[in-house]
Amino acid sequence: MKRTFLAITAALALSGCDMAAIDDSGSEIPSVEPGDISQETMVEVTRTLSGDDFEGRAPGTEGGRKTIAYLIEQFEAAGLQPGNNGSWTQDVPLVEITGKNFTPLAVAGEDGEPMEFQYGSDWVGVTYKEEVDTKLEDSELVFVGYGINAPEKGWNDYEGIDMAGKTAVILVNDPDFGTEELDGPFGGRAMTYYGRWTYKYEEAARQGAAGAIIVHDEAPAAYGWGVVESSWSGPQAYAQRGEDAPATTTMNGWVQKGVAERIMKAAGQDLGKLGMAAKKDGFTAVPLGLTASTSFRNDIRSFSSQNVIGMLPGKTRPEEYVLHTAHWDHLGRCKPDETGDDICNGAVDNATGTAALVALGAAHAKAGAADRTLVFLAVTAEESGLLGADYYAANPVFPLAQTVGGINMDAFLMAGPANDVTVVGSGKSELDRFLDKALGDENRVATPEPTPEKGYYYRSDHFAFAKRGVPMLYVDGGEDLKDGGNAAGAKVAKDYTDNRYHGPKDEFDENWDWSGVMADLQLFYRIGRMLAMSEDWPNWVEGDEFKGIRDTDCEGAGAGCGA
């Protein structure tokens, strides 16, 4: 609920903040001084968390436990207070399932010898079921296009087919992928949640499928097969499934595009033509007349990991919360590179973002208490599907209706200073006003994400909060570098994605240029401080998919959302 101009004026005068110009909504955004953010802290925390002795920070490992202990130590040294009723941590119950003894993926028809595809090079698969033996046997393959059931859009790729016991073959991304504009039933070029692999597996399970196989294609997936193979092999962490958990498939997996093309040819189909048909309204699923079989065994381990929570209590409205999030985990030990290195250190992803929580917490502590409470949440198991963030959002320490909004920090590229920042999901919420004010104070500009088709807004921890109605900003470093412009920025991003992302080469480098990262942290400091000193309650914009959730939450919240 927005306050009147006079009330805001009085509040700002009492707080000692300067007033900014009135924005189009009529509400006031306070100006704040730059924060005293320590580059030394950023360097030291990033270096430590990405060291080999932390073994890639996988949840439930010794490296994960070392990470939690280290973060508690660093949060306390930064001047934060324990954020969970006197505790620094929130337990997150997980299960680790490690597949082994994989048989080939055998695809057979009525005639001819079965085709066999090798685990790792041709396909990968996992199970979400806590069972020792996984067996997919003679499961009928059905091409279901993009695997979407969206009643509000009048779109159902599963219409008219019973998927019980069958395996869905699904295209990655959503039907609008490849268009130039941002209009269309699925956001045009911008990916929606319907394009994410998480949704596709969930929907296949709701349809009763025994298996779900996504066809990997590098452009619409936004990463190469090496990322899939590394991320989907070895130990996989999931939220523990209770007795009332939704049904799941027996096996979820990926196949290389070339494998899918061979399967379609054996079925008398053409993958390219099927893909074109799947883009059109009215597409119907295509039984392929083939079956799939595979099996593997699983080692199962139940364990708890922890979210780490620090806070700076507000001085006048401590029951209103401004959230900062970053994930502390990475992949642990993974597929070795050519040197035999099997530790995915996760220096950029996301030791840098975790270090930013510490550095920003310390800077806010030095500045003194804000009006609202500042929360610094380091979440676990992001790499396994946003599990730590999702657990917190489902079991919040601080009520979501009393959480004003937040900032997520996931991977700072060492690209040097930029004239801009890249806003992932720009135009979704009124938090953009706070970002614009901070950018103006820093003489920088916002650039919409260059690749909205990759769906980055749905791929990091802020999404766990956004889908429950809490406005969240996700801002990346800029592409328009002061040294080399957009071409240089695109080159840095491509080099990281191609050579280091989710691999053993994402390691700390003593020669990194931190100047661009520190400039970005000033923006995040200003945004967090402005939100914590404001009386505004930013909402999602009209028409956004999350606005109705926030409105409903606020209506039933009593003292929430500024009521």
Side-chain angles (χ1 to χ4, degrees):
M1 180 182 295
K2 295 181 177 64
R3 316 288 179 159
T4 65
F5 174 75
L6 289 176
I8 294 168
T9 304
L12 291 168
L14 289 171
S15 71
C17 285
D18 296 329
M19 288 192 302
I22 302 173
D23 66 18
D24 291 341
S25 72
S27 62
E28 192 66 39
I29 300 176
S31 295
V32 300
E33 294 298 315
D36 183 7
I37 307 169
S38 169
Q39 180 171 316
E40 182 180 353
T41 295
M42 284 295 299
V43 172
E44 180 57 30
V45 175
T46 302
R47 180 196 291 118
T48 299
L49 289 176
S50 58
D52 280 355
D53 54 329
F54 280 71
E55 298 181 320
R57 305 189 306 281
T61 66
E62 183 58 31
R65 288 184 284 274
K66 286 183 67 172
T67 301
I68 293 164
Y70 179 74
L71 285 178
I72 292 171
E73 172 189 303
Q74 292 299 309
F75 275 11
E76 188 168 21
L80 304 182
Q81 296 182 23
N84 186 11
N85 298 312
S87 172
W88 289 102
T89 61
Q90 177 190 43
D91 284 344
V92 180
L94 300 172
V95 61
E96 179 185 87
I97 304 177
T98 305
K100 61 182 181 180
N101 302 333
F102 289 85
T103 64
L105 177 66
V107 176
E110 292 184 3
D111 302 318
E113 291 293 317
M115 296 179 288
E116 290 193 346
F117 301 105
Q118 300 305 308
Y119 176 79
S121 58
D122 296 327
W123 75 283
V124 291
V126 300
T127 185
Y128 294 172
K129 293 185 175 182
E130 296 169 30
E131 298 176 353
V132 172
D133 290 300
T134 296
K135 191 171 187 179
L136 189 71
E137 187 171 15
D138 297 330
S139 176
E140 182 183 344
L141 291 173
V142 181
F143 176 74
V144 297
Y146 289 90
I148 294 171
N149 179 19
E152 77 281 6
K153 299 178 185 295
W155 192 290
N156 185 2
D157 289 329
Y158 291 97
E159 187 170 1
I161 191 160
D162 180 2
M163 287 300 297
K166 298 171 183 161
T167 293
V169 181
I170 312 169
L171 297 175
V172 72
N173 214 299
D174 55 33
D176 293 348
F177 173 78
T179 61
E180 291 299 320
E181 304 301 324
L182 297 179
D183 327 319
F186 294 91
R189 186 163 63 95
M191 184 191 287
T192 66
Y193 187 49
Y194 293 115
R196 291 289 294 138
W197 58 262
T198 49
Y199 167 79
K200 295 176 188 295
Y201 292 144
E202 290 165 1
E203 187 57 44
R206 284 190 287 268
Q207 297 292 331
I213 298 174
I214 296 175
V215 178
H216 175 264
D217 190 351
E218 185 164 348
Y223 37 74
W225 180 255
V227 173
V228 176
E229 185 179 0
S230 176
S231 302
W232 288 77
S233 57
Q236 305 287 311
Y238 308 107
Q240 288 188 19
R241 296 176 57 79
E243 293 182 1
D244 298 327
T248 184
T249 57
T250 296
M251 189 275 286
N252 290 323
W254 294 74
V255 295
Q256 292 253 40
K257 183 180 179 182
V259 170
E261 289 172 337
R262 288 182 59 190
I263 291 171
M264 297 305 164
K265 184 176 181 181
Q269 301 284 347
D270 179 272
L271 181 63
K273 291 180 180 178
L274 287 174
M276 292 300 296
K279 292 179 179 293
K280 298 176 182 176
D281 189 12
F283 166 81
T284 56
V286 180
L288 298 177
L290 302 172
T291 62
S293 301
T294 191
S295 64
F296 49 93
R297 289 182 63 81
N298 303 293
D299 292 332
I300 301 171
R301 178 174 68 96
S302 296
F303 67 102
S304 284
S305 188
Q306 285 78 38
N307 294 328
V308 184
I309 311 172
M311 69 174 184
L312 288 171
K315 60 185 177 182
T316 61
R317 282 169 283 131
E319 74 289 349
E320 299 175 3
Y321 307 97
V322 176
L323 190 61
H324 302 72
T325 58
H327 71 92
W328 61 254
D329 67 295
H330 200 55
L331 302 177
R333 293 190 178 272
C334 53
K335 182 182 178 182
D337 66 11
E338 66 277 5
T339 71
D341 183 1
D342 69 345
I343 297 177
C344 278
N345 301 80
V348 167
D349 183 15
N350 187 31
T352 55
T354 310
L357 288 177
V358 177
L360 286 173
H364 282 291
K366 288 179 186 176
D371 289 348
R372 287 165 162 161
T373 295
L374 291 155
V375 179
F376 301 86
L377 174 62
V379 295
T380 184
E382 187 268 356
E383 301 290 6
S384 301
L386 318 183
L387 301 184
D390 201 65
Y391 185 83
Y392 176 95
N395 304 274
V397 174
F398 307 109
L400 297 188
Q402 292 169 224
T403 301
V404 178
I407 306 161
N408 184 51
M409 298 174 289
D410 192 353
F412 290 89
L413 287 179
M414 301 298 160
N419 297 308
D420 64 338
V421 292
T422 303
V423 185
V424 182
S426 61
K428 292 183 69 63
S429 83
E430 295 168 349
L431 287 177
D432 285 0
R433 297 188 290 105
F434 290 80
L435 172 61
D436 290 343
K437 175 69 169 65
L439 285 168
D441 290 343
E442 294 287 325
N443 295 312
R444 297 175 69 182
V445 297
T447 299
E449 57 185 312
T451 55
E453 67 276 10
K454 296 183 180 181
Y456 285 127
Y457 195 81
Y458 307 94
R459 289 170 56 177
S460 195
D461 294 303
H462 60 278
F463 177 60
F465 298 92
K467 71 181 182 180
R468 291 175 173 88
V470 179
M472 296 289 291
L473 275 177
Y474 184 25
V475 180
D476 271 343
E479 291 247 337
D480 181 13
L481 301 186
K482 292 184 182 294
D483 183 8
N486 286 289
K491 182 178 179 181
V492 170
K494 186 176 189 304
D495 175 69
Y496 176 73
T497 300
D498 291 349
N499 300 311
R500 279 173 280 286
Y501 175 64
H502 278 203
K505 289 185 171 61
D506 185 2
E507 297 185 308
F508 182 83
D509 188 339
E510 295 288 352
N511 296 315
W512 275 341
D513 176 0
W514 287 85
S515 57
V517 172
M518 300 311 296
D520 291 344
L521 288 184
Q522 278 295 346
L523 286 175
F524 296 149
Y525 175 86
R526 286 183 184 275
I527 293 166
R529 199 78 184 175
M530 288 188 295
L531 280 169
M533 297 304 295
S534 171
E535 295 194 3
D536 197 9
W537 284 83
N539 202 337
W540 303 93
V541 300
E542 290 294 336
D544 189 84
E545 64 226 79
F546 305 126
K547 188 175 188 301
I549 300 169
R550 182 65 161 184
D551 290 345
T552 300
D553 202 23
C554 289
E555 287 170 5
C561 301

